[in-house]
Amino acid sequence: MVQKYQSPVRVYKYPFELVMAAYEKRFPTCPQIPVFLGSEIIHESKSQDGSIHIVERSCKLTVDAPRLLKKIAGVEYVIFVQKNVLNWKDRTLLIEAHNETFANRVIVHENCSYTVHPENDEWTCFEQSASLDIKSFFGFENAVEKIAMKQYTANIKKGKEVIEYYLNELISQGISHIPRWTPSPVREEDQRSLAGRQDLRPALYPLFDKLDTDYIERYLGHLTPMQESCLIRLRQWLQETHKGKIPKDEHILRFLRARDFHFEKAREMLCQSLNWRKQHQVDYILQTWRPPPLLEEFYAGGWHYQDRDGRPLYILRLGQMDTKGLMKAVGEEALLRHILSVNEEGQKRCEEHTNQLGRPISSWTCLVDLEGLNMRHLWRPGVKALLRMIEVVEDNYPETLGRLLIVRAPRVFPVLWTLVSPLINENTRQKFLIYSGSNYQGPGGLVDYLNKDVIPDFLGGECLCNVPEGGIIPKALYQIEEDQENADRVQLWTETVYQSASVLQGAPHEIAVEILEGESVITWDFDILRGDVVFNLFHSKQAPEPRPRESKSGSSVQLIDQSWVLGVDYNRVESPLVCREGESIQGSHVTRWPGFYLLQWKMATPSACAASSLPRVEDALTSVQSPGHKCKLLYYYEVLASVDFRGSMSSLESCTSGFSQLSATTTSSNQSQSGSLISR
């Protein structure tokens, strides 16, 4: 594969003649560039009028390579041939260089040019391009390629420092101006001879079609030489081949970052996005999209000042938003168009903040308040629509999210995260910070990322936030009638099917999970539809035998034999949890031993309820009026490999005490062997 490099335009704010004087000081040796051992002139010629000066040099460069590779190659240095064509009349210097050593195995070409700035003739522009093609090198092709590119990029910016060093040296010597070349009188026959010569002037492009280093640093941020090269090459390719609107430089850069500056992958991703934008007229969405009144009233999201880093801040009160109602009232397409308009507005605001602050702002921050999030938000069509929107945003707005702050994460959040996380790019997931309860307050919370004067009032701050509060949309405003839901089976996603179970006094419902490896993860999620139950998790080395118990209204499965002795035949691995009617519980357990793990739901006795809280009037009435009261629940469980689980949201030890710093928590290798997630 041919490796290519293209530099941005480097601008020296000095006249061309003075820059040329500094350039000549680099020869025959240049102490500032250690790899340059020296050079000698092998050919030199001038035109009769002195306007064109051609010099060919043989340059000796050392190679910073492993000793073994040098020994195999049999060389300590390499020879390059450099040809310089200096045109004083047109004020240009063209440089072409190629390797002479191993030319049959490795082909290196480099082209540079010094030209006059098209808008200021007292300034000088420099450009550089190069290519590396390794045909064969004793089986060390990859190693040679890495060494060559590393050494080349390490010396690219060194060239600018060298020129500036010699410019300062000239100025310190009192040389700040060198007269421009003027032609001397020539005879008529000499003029005819010169007219027949080949025109050696370079093809000059308007500077506004190119990128210069100052512009990149000011508007795009610090990039390595190879990153600059990828940006310029992709930009040039678009200018030459793309029909239609060329995206802005910061937009192109986002796609390169999303693909780790892999040129071909970024180009493919960007082309697909450009086609998508054209198909859906996304370039005009800010001018044409007007959200329906219902969306303006009930969509609980909006822009709100900026974070500490100067990024635009978007606030989304997802927990207060009736996502199901919005889907029914305005439709999925309207929601998607609104999300696209938010992303387009975010890019526009980033550009405005860049101009205001005088430094690159390429992404925005999103603050998501999840207080109020419940099972209603996990309505299957709504989750499906959410997944579609995430996929569209990931494909077409990469690297636009600088940070995602999630506060007041409730009990159902791990379930939602399990559904959406597979579609979120790993680089994006590293930007997530999650807080539950009041953990977002104080040091380590929002104050680390937002100034106190912009923290919204509903999060304890002093800033009045004008983001709509959301609320439940009346069903009378729905566009279509709501489908009848099955009370005994809830489908969150294609493979997440909740099962129903009945629990009677003395007849618990139990599930056995066989673990073949010592360290796996059991996750569970269940809703208590009727009555109060106690949830337990046990471990046994021996396989239980199911003993179904039929009843008129349902069935329960009991696996733990009455002859088994707790502490001998089986052991408790999670503390009993009393679950009240109407509660939704999520949890997880990292297994320590192979064998059989038993999930058990049994009817709560008054003593069990009293152990967890004060007796309720409802408990007393139930025990007197309905001694045979039946409990009912919906449940779902899953077994995950531990290595996969640690990268997911549900691997956190507690959603009420440890959501902070998600990226640090979920990647920790010191996670406890047994950590239960019990969420209320």
Side-chain angles (χ1 to χ4, degrees), residues 144-163:
V144 171
E145 179 180 317
K146 291 179 181 179
I147 292 171
M149 294 309 297
K150 179 181 178 181
Q151 195 165 46
Y152 187 77
T153 55
N155 288 281
I156 286 173
K157 291 193 174 180
K158 192 70 175 177
K160 180 181 180 182
E161 297 175 9
V162 171
I163 294 295

Side-chain angles (χ1 to χ4, degrees), residues 11-19 91 115-125 176-178 180:
V11 178
Y12 297 100
K13 296 183 179 180
Y14 297 95
F16 176 81
E17 290 72 21
L18 192 63
V19 173
R91 304 177 78 194
T115 59
V116 177
H117 195 287
E119 297 175 1
N120 188 333
D121 64 0
E122 292 298 309
W123 291 356
T124 305
C125 296
S176 58
H177 176 74
I178 296 177
R180 297 185 186 181

Side-chain angles (χ1 to χ4, degrees), residues 477-595:
L477 300 178
Y478 287 6
Q479 292 179 349
I480 58 175
E481 293 185 4
E482 185 176 357
D483 296 331
Q484 184 67 31
E485 295 181 350
N486 187 331
D488 290 336
R489 176 167 292 193
V490 178
Q491 243 181 283
L492 295 181
W493 192 229
T494 54
E495 296 180 357
T496 309
V497 180
Y498 281 63
Q499 302 179 46
S500 62
S502 298
V503 181
L504 302 176
Q505 185 70 44
H509 183 71
E510 296 167 344
I511 298 170
V513 178
E514 184 177 8
I515 300 297
L516 301 178
E517 298 179 0
E519 188 170 303
S520 296
V521 181
I522 305 171
T523 67
W524 55 83
D525 175 30
F526 58 90
D527 290 339
I528 310 301
L529 303 180
R530 185 188 306 166
D532 297 336
V533 301
V534 177
F535 176 72
N536 287 285
L537 182 65
F538 303 101
H539 172 262
S540 174
K541 294 182 180 179
Q542 56 183 312
E545 296 182 3
R547 293 181 293 124
R549 294 193 176 186
E550 301 294 337
S551 69
K552 294 181 180 180
S553 57
S555 65
S556 61
V557 178
Q558 187 171 355
L559 301 175
I560 299 177
D561 193 280
Q562 293 182 351
S563 63
W564 284 13
V565 178
L566 183 63
V568 178
D569 300 293
Y570 67 112
N571 296 283
R572 192 190 308 274
V573 293
E574 289 286 350
S575 300
L577 180 69
V578 178
C579 309
R580 297 289 190 178
E581 181 177 316
E583 289 187 336
S584 178
I585 309 296
Q586 294 82 40
S588 64
H589 178 83
V590 181
T591 64
R592 305 177 73 178
W593 313 279

